[in-house]
Amino acid sequence: MNAPADAPAAPAASRARETLIELADVTRTYVMADTPHTVLAGVTLDIAAGEFAAIMGPSGSGKSTLLHILGLLDRPTSGSYRLGGRDTGKLDDDALSRLRNQAIGFVFQSFYLVPYATALDNVLLPGLYSDTPGAALRRRGEALLAQVGLSAQAGHKPSQLSGGQQQRVALARALVNDPDLILADEPTGQLDSATSAEIMGLLATVNREAGKTVIVVTHDQATAAYARRQILVHDGRIAKS
């Protein structure tokens, strides 16, 4: 399948890019009912700053666990993960939380908006744990809502928004701290095809114009086609990168 029209242009071959993500022989094993269950079995993977990558694989392949490790929501059982040159295995929980808040923005299938908060307040939430002054943070939130086409809905609660609008709010929220990395877990899973194309177009724009590294976990080839690199996970291993 050819990449959609608003997929980002391929980077010039001569343009050297720094490595943002370095995974080396990462495993993740959970113990359930005293029985170990290995979900990731020695993953080694580099992703450069500014890439747009899709992680694909069948259900149970380990792709969501991989995303959780990339997002510092989980730790490897063994192996190493360096993010922006920092060895995350040497960070305590507080340092991991700070790095996650500063460097990573998340977009999830289920939106995870606070139901009693307005669209603008939802966008501002990650910024409350940053050093950005309140007035500047609010201006940034308003600007991000404008970028995703929701200025008129800034005061609306999630129940007053369509699914596509809620996902736009979630994308603006992911960007409010100006992170280097955007992680999207099945971001179009609850959307129709037209709205899915709008959301993926916005992610492509974020990658192309803002230079953000974007990684999307998806089972949908149409969604993955927006990425310039497709990474296939099978049985806890990288089958294609």
Side-chain angles (χ1 to χ4, degrees):
M1 178 182 296
N2 294 328
D6 36 4
S14 60
R15 184 185 302 166
R17 289 186 170 182
E18 296 180 359
T19 301
L20 179 66
I21 288 169
E22 301 171 82
L23 296 176
D25 200 23
V26 164
T27 70
R28 185 62 175 103
T29 299
Y30 301 95
V31 178
M32 296 177 288
D34 297 325
T35 301
H37 178 62
T38 298
V39 180
L40 296 178
V43 170
T44 296
L45 179 68
D46 288 353
I47 295 178
E51 278 202 73
F52 190 161
I55 297 176
M56 304 187 70
S59 178
S61 61
K63 59 185 186 296
S64 291
T65 299
L66 176 57
L67 190 79
H68 290 165
I69 287 175
L70 294 177
L72 306 178
L73 299 172
D74 195 7
R75 290 180 183 263
T77 302
S78 64
S80 67
Y81 172 28
R82 301 181 71 88
L83 177 62
R86 298 184 67 178
D87 185 348
T88 63
K90 296 182 178 180
L91 302 179
D92 62 22
D93 288 344
D94 287 342
L96 277 178
S97 294
R98 287 193 298 272
L99 181 59
R100 182 169 57 243
N101 183 252
Q102 295 165 2
I104 305 171
F106 295 92
V107 181
F108 297 102
Q109 177 178 345
S110 298
F111 317 137
Y112 294 123
L113 302 181
V114 178
Y116 54 80
T118 66
L120 178 58
D121 286 341
N122 268 285
V123 170
L124 299 181
L125 280 175
L128 299 179
Y129 303 95
S130 72
D131 296 328
T132 306
L137 179 64
R138 186 176 183 87
R139 287 194 298 271
R140 177 160 176 79
E142 291 171 342
L144 286 167
L145 280 178
Q147 288 179 30
V148 298
L150 291 178
S151 289
Q153 289 79 24
H156 289 193
K157 304 289 180 59
S159 61
Q160 298 172 296
L161 303 173
S162 68
Q165 289 173 327
Q166 291 185 60
Q167 195 61 296
R168 286 170 181 260
V169 172
L171 177 55
R173 179 184 60 192
L175 292 167
V176 74
N177 282 342
D178 195 24
D180 296 321
L181 174 63
I182 300 295
L183 297 178
D185 191 0
E186 299 284 4
T188 62
Q190 295 194 35
L191 307 177
D192 60 43
S193 57
T195 307
S196 296
E198 292 173 1
I199 295 300
M200 292 308 301
L202 286 169
L203 284 169
T205 299
V206 165
N207 171 254
R208 181 177 64 245
E209 297 184 2
K212 304 297 182 186
T213 305
V214 177
I215 301 176
V216 176
V217 163
T218 184
H219 68 280
D220 179 43
Q221 184 60 49
T223 297
Y226 283 83
R228 287 293 174 184
R229 179 182 180 189
Q230 296 185 14
I231 299 164
L232 180 62
V233 181
H234 186 74
D235 290 339
R237 301 181 184 275
I238 301 296
K240 173 189 172 185
S241 64

